[in-house]
Amino acid sequence: MLFRSLKTRCWLEERAVRGAISHGDIAWEEGVVLAHHRLYKTPRTTSIDPINADDTWERAHRLFHMSIISGCGSGILIQFCHQLYDQNIRYRNIAGSAAYRRRDITKEHAAIFDAVVVRNANLAVECLIDHYNSTGQFLRAALSASA
């Protein structure tokens, strides 16, 4: 289920990103710039304690990814992407802090952002899919280690 969900998320978000880059207006672009700035300025927390966890970074992370697709022009596509984000976040948390110590997430987000704001759809999609698949690889490793 997990990896089918990730594959579907990549497939749908590719279409959403391409649509947003093609049709997004200046307000959409400003939203992406602001969301990226907030994500960049928000320190990442790695606590897995749901009671004491500070979810400020997670909210900024979600806003960044959702702002990119928000200009695609399809409310239904955006809704599906939101649902898949919610499904995948549970699994991303399994990969946990081990994945983030070995990855430069800030650099990955910056590459996605840079491609989006220059409206290079092919590069933006490539960076986004690589970003998601990297998390998937860490998750596969985490699940294999616990089996």
Side-chain angles (χ1 to χ4, degrees):
M1 172 70 177
L2 156 66
F3 297 108
R4 280 182 271 160
S5 175
L6 177 60
K7 183 177 179 179
T8 303
R9 182 180 183 200
C10 291
W11 186 78
L12 290 176
E13 286 200 28
E14 174 179 353
R15 277 128 189 92
V17 168
R18 289 184 186 283
I21 287 173
S22 177
H23 305 296
D25 59 12
I26 192 69
W28 164 78
E29 190 174 314
E30 289 170 347
V32 172
V33 170
L34 180 58
H36 180 258
H37 178 74
R38 287 181 176 160
L39 179 61
Y40 179 77
K41 292 292 189 176
T42 303
R44 171 90 193 233
T45 56
T46 56
S47 172
I48 58 172
D49 175 2
I51 296 171
N52 298 312
D54 176 0
D55 67 347
T56 305
W57 185 89
E58 188 55 56
R59 286 192 315 268
H61 183 245
R62 178 187 185 92
L63 179 62
F64 172 68
H65 281 281
M66 295 301 110
S67 71
I68 292 170
I69 65 168
S70 69
C72 74
S74 172
I76 292 172
L77 180 55
I78 292 168
Q79 183 180 359
F80 282 137
C81 291
H82 276 272
Q83 290 172 343
L84 290 169
Y85 183 98
D86 290 342
Q87 287 179 11
N88 280 273
I89 193 172
R90 294 181 304 216
Y91 299 114
R92 182 168 45 88
N93 289 335
I94 293 170
S97 60
Y100 302 108
R101 286 191 297 263
R102 297 190 303 242
R103 288 172 65 190
D104 189 344
I105 301 294
T106 301
K107 185 177 178 179
E108 291 177 29
H109 287 135
I112 297 164
F113 169 76
D114 290 344
V116 167
V117 296
V118 298
R119 296 186 184 240
N120 184 333
N122 291 334
L123 182 58
V125 166
E126 179 184 329
C127 292
L128 184 69
I129 301 306
D130 286 350
H131 175 65
Y132 291 160
N133 284 329
S134 291
T135 301
Q137 290 170 358
F138 277 100
L139 181 55
R140 275 188 182 91
L143 292 173
S144 293
S146 66

